[in-house]
Amino acid sequence: MKGAARSLYFKKMTRIFHDVEQYYAVLQKDHAAKWDIARMNRDINEVESIVNTYLNINHQKLGRKSDEESSIELAESQLLGIYHKLLTVSVRIKHVLDDKTHQILQELRSWIFPKIFASADEILADISLCLVGLAKDLDKIKPDVVVSAPDIFLNRKGEELLRKIFVHVLRNSMDHGIETAAERLAAGKLEKGTITMTMNRCPEGIRLIYQDDGRGLNINRIKNKAQHHKMIDAGKPLTTVAAAELIFCSGLSTAGRVSDISGRGVGMDAVRKFLLDVDGNIRVHLLHPERVDASFHPFYFEIHLPDALFAHAGGELRLEVA
């Protein structure tokens, strides 16, 4: 212990160990020496105290535990690569595997899977918790959120993307779409709004449908704002569907004032950019595009997300086996 303490340059610990060691060395050499039990107890107590001091520094200050196995760090991309290789091996040689080997491979995949993928249901529900604060800031009732994404799991990159885009999407719903309780009751609606998010698989990847039961898009206001900012030609006719697409233009906002919630017209533009950066996209669909005289148009967002952000069906990797 003294040698280790000296090597680590623990001066106080080294001195204490040395003083105790010196006394015991005398007792070993001089058999006639009288044992001072009181001193020996004090020495042992001092040794124990200095050891505990350094143990506390190790545990509490440095966050280490000396009684556990050491851990090995792996980058998430490395673990993902190992997982996919396990899947590849499982698929390529599944016809020659005995039940025991197949079970071992399955156990390995099951251990790795939750470390690199998270349930889309849980992620969307967690993201929606921001609605509590938004509703309070806007003096509205927090809407109910209905999420359906059965057996769909995202990797970390996919989770980060959803968190980035829904910061803007949920704010827009609360500020522009879902009305106050009084406005909803006057329109014959329930005083509490509803936001629905549904994920399902499609040939191109994952399709996410997002819809709130608020008032919808104010198409005429969108057109006027776009003309004011010279985003469109005032003399050129614009269809209702084309006008709805203008919400993805940078700088366009129908908010009456700029606040910390919305108003600068960068939200939906950022959402589309985030999605395009990963080969995804977002489109707006009007429920009744033929109603050109309507003040507000109910709509939903169709969001396409690439396969690369998800675990495949059942957590299995789609492979084309030669």
Side-chain angles (χ1 to χ4, degrees):
M1 290 176 71
K2 187 179 79 171
R6 186 188 298 115
S7 298
L8 295 168
Y9 212 62
F10 294 163
K11 286 187 174 181
K12 184 176 181 180
M13 180 179 275
T14 300
R15 179 185 58 76
I16 291 172
F17 287 166
H18 177 74
D19 291 346
V20 173
E21 183 184 49
Q22 286 296 98
Y23 180 66
Y24 278 89
V26 170
L27 295 180
Q28 285 180 320
K29 291 179 180 179
D30 185 359
H31 296 290
K34 184 179 179 181
W35 287 29
D36 185 343
I37 301 299
R39 174 182 173 173
M40 294 167 71
N41 282 330
R42 287 196 304 272
D43 287 347
I44 293 299
N45 288 339
E46 189 174 19
V47 167
E48 186 175 22
S49 175
I50 193 67
V51 169
N52 286 335
T53 296
Y54 278 84
L55 280 174
N56 287 334
I57 292 172
N58 185 59
H59 294 170
Q60 297 175 14
K61 300 288 186 181
L62 303 179
R64 301 169 180 166
K65 293 186 179 180
S66 56
D67 57 348
E68 291 187 355
E69 289 184 283
S70 60
S71 59
I72 300 173
E73 291 187 6
L74 278 178
E76 185 178 351
S77 59
Q78 291 176 306
L79 198 57
L80 187 60
I82 292 170
Y83 178 78
H84 283 173
K85 286 175 183 177
L86 280 171
L87 288 176
T88 302
V89 169
S90 299
V91 171
R92 291 188 183 278
I93 62 174
K94 64 181 179 180
H95 299 301
V96 297
L97 293 179
D98 56 57
D99 290 342
K100 183 64 176 177
T101 306
H102 181 76
Q103 181 182 349
I104 291 171
L105 288 173
Q106 179 60 43
E107 288 173 355
L108 284 171
R109 297 200 306 270
S110 297
W111 178 79
I112 295 174
F113 189 87
K115 300 181 186 304
I116 53 178
F117 295 107
S119 163
D121 273 325
E122 293 178 2
I123 291 170
L124 290 172
D126 184 62
I127 292 171
S128 301
L129 293 177
C130 71
L131 292 169
V132 175
L134 288 172
K136 182 178 180 181
D137 290 343
L138 293 165
D139 197 25
K140 295 180 179 180
I141 297 175
K142 186 189 85 65
D144 289 328
V145 179
V146 180
V147 175
S148 177
D151 298 322
I152 295 178
F153 297 85
L154 295 105
N155 59 27
R156 186 68 55 84
K157 186 176 179 181
E159 179 179 350
E160 289 175 354
L161 175 67
L162 289 192
R163 291 187 183 279
K164 285 197 295 187
I165 67 176
F166 278 108
V167 163
H168 301 290
V169 174
L170 290 170
R171 284 176 178 237
N172 272 335
S173 279
M174 288 304 299
D175 200 15
H176 302 297
I178 294 177
E179 312 91 333
T180 64
E183 289 171 330
R184 290 180 62 84
L185 290 173
K189 298 180 178 180
L190 296 175
E191 64 176 2
K192 180 187 286 191
T194 300
I195 292 174
T196 305
M197 290 181 269
T198 304
M199 270 188 178
N200 52 63
R201 297 185 179 277
C202 63
E204 299 79 21
I206 298 293
R207 180 173 176 259
L208 192 163
I209 300 298
Y210 175 95
Q211 185 175 3
D212 65 55
D213 68 345
R215 58 170 64 92
L217 295 176
N218 188 333
I219 296 296
N220 288 331
R221 186 169 176 79
I222 290 172
K223 288 180 181 180
N224 291 336
K225 285 282 187 176
Q227 290 173 1
H228 176 73
H229 291 290
K230 296 182 170 41
M231 294 176 179
I232 59 173
D233 187 347
K236 186 177 180 180
L238 195 68
T239 67
T240 305
V241 174
E245 277 287 316
L246 290 171
I247 65 172
F248 298 111
C249 291
S250 178
L252 181 73
S253 174
T254 58
R257 62 183 179 87
V258 174
S259 70
D260 60 353
I261 295 177
S262 67
R264 297 195 181 276
V266 296
M268 297 312 299
D269 170 53
V271 168
R272 176 166 276 180
K273 183 181 182 303
F274 289 144
L275 288 163
L276 291 174
D277 284 346
V278 296
D279 296 324
N281 207 344
I282 181 171
R283 295 180 178 85
V284 58
H285 294 273
L286 301 178
L287 296 183
H288 306 289
E290 72 284 353
R291 290 167 52 186
V292 295
D293 296 330
S295 299
F296 292 92
H297 290 258
F299 71 98
Y300 65 87
F301 287 128
E302 180 181 8
I303 300 171
H304 284 276
L305 299 159
D307 258 344
L309 302 178
F310 297 86
H312 295 279
E316 300 296 324
L317 181 68
R318 293 178 187 168
L319 295 169
E320 293 184 7
V321 181

